[in-house]
Amino acid sequence: MCCVAVLFCLAPISVLRAQTATQLHLVPQPRELHSVGESDVHSATTSVPGGDAEDLFAASNLDAFLAEVGVKVAPSVGAPDLIINLLRANSDAGKSALQADKLAFDPAMDAEGYVLVSKPGSVTIIGKTAAGVFYGVQTLKQLVQRKDGVTKLWLGTVRDWPAMKYRGIDDDLSRGPFPTLAFQKHQLDVFASYKVNLYSPYFEHTLAYSNEPLAAPPGSSLSRAEAQELVAYATKLHITIVPEQEAFGHLHQMLKYEKYSDLAETPHGHVIAPGQSGSQPLIKRWFTQIAQDFPSPFLHIGADETFELGTGRTKPDVDKRGLGPVYADFLTQIHTTLAPLNRRLLFWGDVAWNDPAAVEKLPKDMVAIPWIYWHEDNYDANITPFKKAGIETWVAPGDANWSVVYPLGAAALDNISGFVESGQRLGSTGELTTVWNDDGEGLFNQDWFGILFSAAAGWQPGKSDGAAYQSAFGTRFYNDTTGRLDEAEKEIIAAENLIDVSDETFWLDPWSKEGLAKGAKMRAKIPEGRLHAEKAIELILTARANDSTLRELPALDAMELGARRIDFIGMKFQLAEEMAAAYAKAYAMKDDPKKKTETRELLSSLSDMNGRCQDLRDGYSMIKNLYRASWLAENRPYWLDNVLVRYDLRIQLWQQRGEAIRQLNETWQDTEVLPTAAEAGVPAPPKP
């Protein structure tokens, strides 16, 4: 994390204790911060001398927060002990304030920068624009902390401005979870608090089109009225919404309808075929509505992973000219089709991997978004083809949330910090961190740790420090001043390094051939991994039990759910192997009258009131209920049953196995006949 501590001239003040800038971790960390201690705050009033409507909104945003943390807000109080002034840099009051504290407002700060001066009894925030004032308010909110029933304000000076012009989140709304409008507004509130200024919901078929209504599923699509309401809400928060409508690949959910069969590269496939007469008119209808409902400078056409291109209708053309030229020509045609809308087109930049030469053929006023979601020692090669072609770039790291029971925190920090640093150094103007729901099970409330790090990385210059961020996240997001939730996140990351936390492994039958191999591979590391996951659960529960001021409780529930799913993965493979060993031992003793009690108890350990089959049934059942609650805390009900049915099948599997083994036990006690493990459906015990 790049932070320059600048010492400003402040009058001597009485403070509780001194604190250096490097010890006071904010998210994002301001470029220039000098803190000199704390003072108590009991009441406050926020003044907007210029009367600007956007600054008045920033003031109301601040007042709501202050009331939440126990500060009495005027006019409900008499003389306040803190006066907050929101000023514009070009106003007389703003100029005077800057001069009084010997502070400068540099040109780099013009668009979104701010100055904040916090003294006993007063705070002054100065911005040249409404966005600058608003972001100064967001920093002030992090300088106000409630500790032991007392609200305190950090004192000092901040000068701050962003490293990247566009700082955004791309959120998959097409493969399972679809948020309620209320939760989307909450997302926007949180994004804005951490200075995110762009939100890109990802649509394949879940944006409702008035002239193409067929594909949007009932109960899981964004209506035009909702879109317009969301835009109005985001605008006040200085967030631009740029929906991504896939316009080339990833369109199976639309192309599976017979109405669109003539447009598909392959029958009911995934890719729109270039050259089909209906392709461009459909794209134009889509984006004309988007341009009307989302008045941003950009249109995002997707155009990634067009794997089917050249395998169907376009095969002769691709065989003749090559994949890259056919791809580039279609993007150019889309560019021409949408030109009357007067927006810049965003597109995913994986063409640079497949055919770097095709980059030169693309229109130069488009914006390429190269994406990389894994570690690379150097990310430059993903950006330079576009830079050489004179095409503007944004970089897209990933939250590492897809197809896992909980996002891979260490992978996200590594990928985001490395790729964003490369983008800044090579002149990328934005970063767009992605959240994907390939498995249909993703919960956004589990994504905040990675998402807010990306917000910091896009604002801060240089390579952001994941360790410093980890030390600040729990305080800033959850209002946990004890460090328990930061420690819980670290424990989950430690568990992820020892246990395979993929969804595939969570659902895998440990008695299947694949499950036996997976269990053997993880066996030695499972105990330590489970201890880390269980420690995380205890830390979360302790934090909740001892601090009534915690925020974002649904996200905390989702974090606990993730830790419990990790622990259950480990337990499942352990119990499965224990059952196999117990059955083998019971079978070996089945004919020994002296071992009858021990044999019965071994079989009972597989299935009885506290049998291991019941443990696995109960585990899936408990997690199912926790999962349902977390889903409904943020999403519409649509698609939920597609996930819960998987729990039901696993609950049923272990219930049936338990009943069968219990019956075997009872039959053996009556007849002293016990089938082999293979006949009973129990695997052989694991090899040492």
Side-chain angles (χ1 to χ4, degrees):
M1 185 175 295
C2 182
C3 173
V4 181
V6 179
L7 302 181
F8 297 106
C9 296
L10 292 175
I13 52 179
S14 175
V15 297
L16 298 180
R17 58 190 174 91
Q19 183 94 338
T20 66
T22 54
Q23 291 173 304
L24 178 56
H25 292 301
L26 309 184
V27 181
Q29 185 75 0
R31 287 191 187 234
E32 301 175 358
L33 183 153
H34 177 60
S35 58
V36 293
E38 301 170 295
S39 66
D40 294 352
V41 179
H42 305 286
S43 60
T45 184
T46 305
S47 173
V48 184
D52 182 90
E54 291 180 289
D55 294 349
L56 289 169
F57 174 82
S60 67
N61 179 269
L62 176 59
D63 287 347
F65 171 82
L66 292 173
E68 180 184 324
V69 296
V71 176
K72 295 180 180 179
V73 178
S76 63
V77 296
D81 53 32
L82 179 66
I83 298 175
I84 304 165
N85 286 299
L86 308 185
L87 306 176
R88 292 297 181 96
N90 56 2
S91 68
D92 290 341
K95 292 175 182 177
S96 297
L98 290 170
Q99 186 176 15
D101 286 292
K102 299 181 174 61
L103 298 171
F105 209 93
D106 299 336
M109 303 171 66
D110 285 355
E112 296 177 297
Y114 63 91
V115 167
L116 185 155
V117 179
S118 174
K119 301 177 181 179
S122 72
V123 173
T124 303
I125 295 173
I126 306 166
K128 185 161 282 190
T129 64
V133 171
F134 182 80
Y135 292 141
V137 164
Q138 305 318 306
T139 296
L140 175 59
K141 286 157 66 173
Q142 293 193 37
L143 296 176
V144 176
Q145 192 81 47
R146 191 163 181 82
K147 302 177 183 178
D148 301 322
V150 178
T151 303
K152 297 182 181 298
L153 168 69
W154 282 101
L155 306 174
T157 306
V158 177
R159 268 192 356 137
D160 196 18
W161 64 96
M164 304 185 88
K165 184 175 182 179
Y166 304 107
R167 307 169 301 281
I169 309 299
D170 187 278
D171 188 11
D172 181 359
L173 305 188
S174 288
R175 285 175 274 198
F178 197 100
T180 63
L181 190 63
F183 186 75
Q184 284 186 293
K185 289 180 178 179
H186 177 66
Q187 286 178 296
L188 294 171
D189 286 332
V190 178
F191 294 159
S193 294
Y194 296 90
K195 305 179 177 68
V196 168
N197 65 359
L198 191 141
Y199 172 53
S200 184
Y202 169 88
F203 297 111
E204 295 175 0
H205 66 302
T206 51
L207 184 58
Y209 292 103
S210 57
N211 53 14
E212 295 288 340
L214 179 62
S220 185
S221 57
L222 193 70
S223 70
R224 296 195 71 176
E226 289 173 325
Q228 292 164 8
E229 183 177 343
L230 205 61
V231 167
Y233 193 86
T235 299
K236 294 180 179 180
L237 298 168
H238 302 278
I239 294 176
T240 299
I241 300 183
V242 183
E244 176 191 348
Q245 170 60 62
E246 284 284 5
F248 200 166
H250 287 295
L251 287 171
H252 171 70
Q253 296 299 329
M254 186 267 291
L255 295 175
K256 69 183 181 183
Y257 288 98
E258 198 62 23
K259 174 182 177 179
Y260 302 108
S261 60
D262 288 342
L263 304 183
E265 173 75 12
T266 60
H268 308 114
H270 300 264
V271 173
I272 287 182
Q276 295 302 101
S277 60
S279 298
Q280 293 297 330
L282 176 64
I283 292 168
K284 185 174 183 178
R285 290 194 294 274
W286 282 344
F287 284 95
T288 297
Q289 178 177 314
I290 289 173
Q292 292 169 353
D293 294 344
F294 298 91
S296 83
F298 305 104
L299 298 173
H300 195 334
I301 63 173
D304 60 313
E305 297 184 328
T306 54
F307 300 129
E308 287 183 348
L309 187 64
T311 66
R313 296 182 191 273
T314 61
K315 188 177 189 307
D317 195 20
V318 169
D319 288 346
K320 180 180 179 181
R321 298 196 293 133
L323 196 64
V326 173
Y327 175 94
D329 283 354
F330 191 56
L331 259 63
T332 302
Q333 292 168 19
I334 295 174
H335 180 271
T336 301
T337 296
L338 301 182
L341 300 178
N342 296 311
R343 310 294 177 87
R344 296 187 67 191
L345 301 189
L346 308 173
F347 70 99
W348 297 117
D350 41 322
V351 64
W353 308 338
N354 304 320
D355 190 348
V359 172
E360 293 288 345
K361 303 178 185 297
L362 297 171
K364 298 299 185 285
D365 63 345
M366 297 174 76
V367 179
I369 310 178
W371 55 271
I372 295 290
Y373 303 149
W374 50 87
H375 171 81
E376 291 199 356
D377 292 337
N378 188 295
Y379 292 86
D380 293 7
N382 303 285
I383 304 169
T384 50
F386 301 105
K387 183 178 178 67
K388 290 178 181 177
I391 296 175
E392 184 178 339
T393 58
W394 300 356
V395 293
D399 182 48
N401 72 300
W402 47 90
S403 302
V404 288
V405 301
Y406 193 77
L408 305 178
L413 296 183
D414 175 75
N415 174 235
I416 292 167
S417 62
F419 200 9
V420 172
E421 182 279 331
S422 182
Q424 289 186 16
R425 182 166 36 78
L426 293 177
S428 298
T429 56
E431 61 93 10
L432 189 65
T433 297
T434 57
V435 170
W436 297 115
N437 295 315
D438 302 44
D439 52 4
E441 300 181 24
L443 297 169
F444 197 93
N445 268 329
Q446 293 184 336
D447 295 327
W448 291 112
F449 179 74
I451 287 302
L452 299 186
F453 180 65
S454 78
W459 181 277
Q460 298 163 175
K463 188 171 185 177
S464 290
D465 182 350
Y469 169 77
Q470 281 186 288
S471 298
F473 174 73
T475 300
R476 301 303 162 208
F477 184 65
Y478 290 114
N479 193 42
D480 171 38
T481 59
T482 68
R484 291 190 184 102
L485 298 182
D486 286 330
E487 190 62 30
E489 190 75 41
K490 292 176 183 177
E491 292 288 349
I492 291 176
I493 290 173
E496 291 173 332
N497 289 330
L498 298 165
I499 294 176
D500 182 338
V501 298
S502 66
D503 284 332
E504 179 183 7
T505 302
F506 180 77
W507 298 117
L508 186 62
D509 178 2
W511 281 359
S512 67
K513 180 180 178 180
E514 297 81 1
L516 292 170
K518 179 72 70 173
K521 185 177 181 180
M522 292 194 298
R523 183 184 303 133
K525 296 181 179 180
I526 284 176
E528 183 183 353
R530 288 194 66 194
L531 288 173
H532 284 298
E534 290 167 7
K535 181 63 174 177
I537 296 168
E538 291 181 331
L539 287 163
I540 293 166
L541 296 177
T542 301
R544 290 201 67 155
N546 290 280
D547 190 347
S548 62
T549 67
L550 291 178
R551 297 191 292 261
E552 301 293 343
L553 297 184
L556 196 54
D557 290 340
M559 185 183 184
E560 179 191 340
L561 169 65
R564 289 190 181 277
R565 291 184 80 186
I566 295 170
D567 186 50
F568 180 76
I569 290 172
M571 182 181 73
K572 176 177 69 172
F573 286 99
Q574 286 179 322
L575 298 191
E577 291 189 350
E578 289 170 7
M579 286 189 281
Y583 196 91
K585 187 175 181 181
Y587 187 81
M589 297 189 303
K590 65 182 175 59
D591 297 324
D592 186 346
K594 296 180 181 180
K595 302 288 187 180
K596 189 165 186 177
T597 299
E598 185 179 355
T599 301
R600 183 191 68 222
E601 291 305 309
L602 283 168
L603 294 173
S604 296
S605 73
L606 274 71
S607 178
D608 205 342
M609 181 173 63
N610 292 314
R612 285 160 175 76
C613 284
Q614 287 73 26
D615 290 338
L616 296 183
R617 176 202 65 190
D618 297 349
Y620 276 116
S621 180
M622 177 189 69
I623 294 171
K624 171 188 172 181
N625 291 328
L626 295 175
Y627 183 88
R628 180 198 290 113
S630 280
W631 176 286
L632 294 174
E634 61 181 76
N635 294 311
R636 307 179 195 206
Y638 180 89
W639 191 270
L640 175 58
D641 286 345
N642 291 338
V643 182
L644 296 186
V645 70
R646 303 189 74 177
Y647 284 97
D648 293 336
L649 290 172
R650 286 294 172 255
I651 293 167
Q652 185 180 56
L653 173 67
W654 290 105
Q655 177 68 22
Q656 290 173 336
R657 282 176 172 167
E659 290 175 358
I661 292 171
R662 183 183 298 169
Q663 184 61 51
L664 290 178
N665 192 358
E666 293 175 359
T667 300
W668 171 78
Q669 293 181 64
D670 291 339
T671 66
E672 297 186 351
V673 174
L674 189 66
T676 66
E679 291 170 338
V682 179
K687 296 179 181 179

